Amino acid sequence: MTPQLLLAFDDEWPLAEALATALAVPLKPITRHRFPDGELKLTLPPALPERVALLRGLHQPNDKLVELLISAPAARELGARELLLVCPYLAYMRQDIAFSPGEAVSQRHIAGLLARVVDALVTIDPHLHRIASLDEVMPGCRARALTAAGALGGWVSQRVPDALLLGPDEEALQWVAEAGRAHGLDHAVCHKQRQGDRQVTIALPAVPIAGRRVVLMDDVASTGRTLVEAATACLQAGAASVDVAVTHALFVGDALAHLRGCGVREVWSTDAVPHATAVVPVAPLLADAIASL
Ligand code: R5P
């Protein structure tokens, strides 16, 4: 699908501008008014072309999901016949199993909801652990999952040419392996056990860490505690330095302060989520994928 127009919200404007330039399409805003009771009024351009791309990442997802549930059908009413959702960060992907009876499998329900309002979706490094592809949870929607691991690995290899890429858990193997392969870097993964939102324990892999310049690499950092525990273990094992590279920099609350406090040197991320640590642009990756849809 070659979109004729990109729609975006103000909080993602820098990425929207980069993407519109890369796609060579016009960019127009969706504006919002929040009523005193919290409800939203969204305003789209009054006449839309047939093929429209809508940029809406889902960091801090709940309000943004409502924006999507309103703006996607509104775009169709205003003329869009094909609607592509460009969702650099796709939230709710980590709740992919009922860990106790009655627990909702949010991954399935949120992905299913989106599949009903758009025709196609492009996203980056969604947390697909127990399913192989988004098609399993997005029936009837052309979903494309990209990875920023190669681009992040490129950034890392420029700054730390002899880095040991370390994933904090087994799920991160896909990203460290891809980045390692693309840039000739060693890689390994730790073993993680989560006890609570902010409690995790990490066991280092059986590879030499002492003297190595370690770069911890993951898809998403939320509370940052996974990275803090992994960094602390590496430094205790004699790592020469520990840096961090993540695709999605959520870094809620005091996450960054905790990372700095435990001895992490640099923190790098992509601009899939707007954040002060963003150094790797994702617009080229998104534009290539959209052009080839
Ligand atoms: C889950 O396995 C993800 O890949 C991340 O490791 C996790 O979401 C990070 O969460 P937090 O930063 O809260 O430890």
Side-chain angles (χ1 to χ4, degrees):
M1 173 204 183
T2 318
Q4 297 158 292
L5 175 69
L6 177 65
L7 294 175
F9 291 83
D10 57 355
D11 57 286
E12 289 184 297
W13 207 249
L15 175 57
E17 284 182 321
L19 184 56
T21 302
L23 289 169
V25 294
L27 167 65
K28 292 200 173 154
I30 299 178
T31 57
R32 65 169 93 63
H33 171 74
R34 189 176 290 280
F35 292 105
D37 56 14
E39 289 185 7
L40 282 173
K41 177 176 72 176
L42 301 180
T43 306
L44 289 75
L48 295 178
E50 279 200 2
R51 298 185 306 278
V52 172
L54 168 58
L55 174 67
R56 180 71 292 188
L58 291 174
H59 44 287
Q60 299 289 326
N62 296 347
D63 277 2
K64 297 186 177 96
L65 280 167
V66 175
E67 289 173 357
L68 268 179
L69 293 181
I70 297 172
S71 57
R76 292 197 197 278
E77 284 179 355
L78 294 166
R81 298 186 57 184
E82 254 198 293
L83 200 51
L84 163 69
L85 173 59
V86 183
C87 185
Y89 174 63
L90 184 56
Y92 282 108
M93 292 298 105
R94 286 169 291 176
Q95 293 171 40
D96 58 358
I97 193 173
F99 291 96
S100 55
E103 224 175 76
V105 183
S106 309
Q107 180 190 70
R108 210 158 54 222
H109 305 310
I110 295 293
L113 197 71
L114 295 177
R116 288 196 282 279
V117 296
V118 298
D119 303 298
L121 171 138
V122 174
T123 188
I124 303 174
D125 290 331
H127 193 88
L128 304 182
H129 176 205
R130 292 175 181 87
I131 61 169
S133 111
L134 280 173
D135 296 335
E136 293 179 39
V137 286
M138 302 198 77
C141 178
R142 282 172 290 146
R144 185 95 187 267
L146 314 173
T147 180
L152 265 180
W155 175 273
V156 168
S157 68
Q158 296 291 310
R159 268 111 206 126
V160 192
D162 55 349
L164 167 62
L165 298 178
L166 200 57
D169 51 32
E170 284 89 352
E171 294 141 55
L173 180 61
Q174 52 191 304
W175 301 297
V176 291
E178 167 68 20
R181 185 199 55 73
H183 302 284
L185 299 172
D186 294 342
H187 70 271
V189 293
C190 306
H191 175 69
K192 173 168 90 178
Q193 280 188 309
R194 184 175 284 283
Q195 291 85 30
D197 289 343
R198 289 179 164 75
Q199 290 87 37
V200 296
T201 48
I202 297 276
L204 290 176
V207 298
I209 301 281
R212 293 298 307 261
R213 300 206 284 168
V214 174
V215 178
L216 296 170
M217 198 169 179
D218 209 354
D219 58 336
V220 52
S222 177
T223 68
R225 295 312 192 270
T226 296
L227 294 169
V228 165
E229 291 305 317
T232 304
C234 288
L235 290 168
Q236 281 171 357
S241 61
V242 178
D243 302 311
V244 159
V246 294
T247 302
H248 303 296
L250 303 183
F251 289 124
V252 298
D254 56 3
L256 269 183
H258 273 272
L259 273 179
R260 304 280 185 221
C262 79
V264 165
R265 200 177 57 165
E266 301 283 345
V267 180
W268 302 305
S269 67
T270 75
D271 61 357
V273 172
H275 194 267
T277 57
V279 289
V280 175
V282 294
L285 186 67
L286 290 169
D288 281 355
I290 292 167
S292 70
L293 264 182

